[in-house]
Amino acid sequence: MTVLLTDDADGVRTLTLNRPHRRNAIDAELWEALRTALEEAGRDRSVRALVLTGAGGAFCSGADISKGLSSAHPVYRMRTLTEVTLLLHELPVPTVAKVTGVAVGAGWNLALGCDLVVATPEARFSQIFARRGLSPDCGGSWLLPRLAGLQQAKRLALLAETIDAEEARALNLVTWVVDAEEVDAFVGDITARLAAGAPVALAQTRHLLNENADRTLREALAGEARAQAVNFATADVREAYAAFAGRRDAHFTGGWAVPAATAQRSEDET
């Protein structure tokens, strides 16, 4: 059985955790598959948005502990988790988690690592680590205080309570709650809008918002200035202005504004 399904449609890549018999708990094979898939998505310029979801009515029940403790040193096991988490956070495209059923432990933190989270009313969430004698991983200790505030983060992590989708939304841990029969169409609409956006500008915006949470205003402004310099070097800005003037929708490509011949002359002159 393929533990991670990949589907591409109109610039949107969907990664589906596919271990429904274990409520998509992540074992070593699935961690490796996720790492490879995220690396490929980051390199593939045809990918304009990414959806992370689970098969069989669950998102992810966390790391698979059904086989007991691994004989491998935890340092090596955690290295893979860290790499997957960073790849997800640093992707150059917007990401959406589509959560149906349970999202627990590392599974919930992978959902929180996406830019937007769409959940059905049946979804349930838990930072289950304390019940396993563990502390949060996959970025949970960084994400929870920033999204829900320090006190609520401590409540969720220390008590390992299970909360429903509406409470998760109230805590800023879910972006939208959408009925199960409507969730596919809703996510499809969101990702279509993201895929139609200016890819370089969206990548810059995603990076700025992720990084500026713990920066000073001066550092944030410097980062914004660098990002805008990158954005103005794309053809998308020119296209946006032309579309506005022509009262039409813009068609963004992420292309460079400087023609190849001009760029070559500039290089020859230096």
Side-chain angles (χ1 to χ4, degrees):
M1 180 179 70
T2 303
V3 297
L4 184 68
L5 305 177
T6 302
D7 178 72
D8 288 313
D10 300 322
V12 179
R13 178 161 296 176
T14 299
L15 301 180
T16 303
L17 310 179
N18 189 38
R19 301 185 74 229
H21 60 292
R22 295 291 305 158
R23 295 195 297 176
N24 302 317
I26 310 178
D27 63 359
E29 182 183 6
L30 184 48
W31 282 119
E32 288 296 333
L34 271 172
R35 175 164 57 183
T36 299
L38 292 171
E39 287 174 343
E40 291 174 351
R43 291 193 297 263
D44 190 341
R45 290 182 60 187
S46 70
V47 177
R48 303 281 288 266
L50 183 136
V51 176
L52 184 64
T53 192
F59 182 76
C60 176
S61 58
D64 192 346
I65 61 172
S66 64
K67 299 177 183 177
L69 292 173
S70 168
S71 60
H73 195 287
V75 166
Y76 302 119
R77 299 202 306 272
M78 291 307 300
R79 184 176 297 164
T80 302
L81 272 67
T82 297
E83 290 172 353
V84 168
T85 302
L86 285 174
L87 284 166
L88 180 62
H89 279 256
E90 294 175 357
L91 274 180
V93 299
T95 55
V96 179
K98 182 172 69 175
V99 180
T100 59
V102 297
V104 173
W108 189 9
N109 291 336
L110 287 176
L112 292 177
C114 293
D115 300 316
L116 303 168
V117 180
V118 183
T120 62
E122 298 78 19
R124 295 295 182 267
F125 304 87
S126 176
Q127 293 288 322
I128 201 169
F129 301 97
R131 297 187 209 170
R132 306 286 185 253
L134 299 170
S135 51
D137 55 28
C138 286
S141 65
W142 189 86
L143 288 160
L144 284 169
R146 284 162 174 77
L147 296 171
L150 183 57
Q151 285 191 335
Q152 291 296 336
K154 288 179 177 179
R155 167 207 159 193
L156 293 168
L158 297 176
L159 297 177
E161 295 177 341
T162 298
I163 63 173
D164 63 20
E166 286 295 347
E167 184 172 3
R169 179 169 62 175
L171 292 172
N172 297 320
L173 301 172
V174 162
T175 319
W176 297 281
V177 178
V178 180
D179 288 341
E181 60 270 21
E182 300 173 2
V183 70
D184 289 343
F186 185 90
V187 171
D189 175 67
I190 293 296
T191 52
R193 289 157 58 188
L194 292 171
V200 174
L202 292 186
Q204 297 296 312
T205 299
R206 188 177 193 272
H207 177 75
L208 287 170
L209 293 174
N210 283 340
E211 294 298 318
N212 285 347
D214 53 3
R215 288 182 174 176
T216 66
L217 175 60
R218 185 174 296 275
E219 290 170 331
L221 290 170
E224 289 175 357
R226 288 191 294 270
Q228 291 294 51
V230 172
N231 293 331
F232 277 112
T234 68
D236 288 339
V237 173
R238 213 173 280 174
E239 164 63 8
Y241 277 65
F244 177 79
R247 298 177 181 271
R248 59 174 176 81
D249 291 334
H251 176 65
F252 296 122
T253 64
W256 196 22
V258 182
T262 302
Q264 184 62 53
R265 285 198 303 269
S266 178
E267 290 175 3
D268 292 342
E269 292 167 359
T270 58

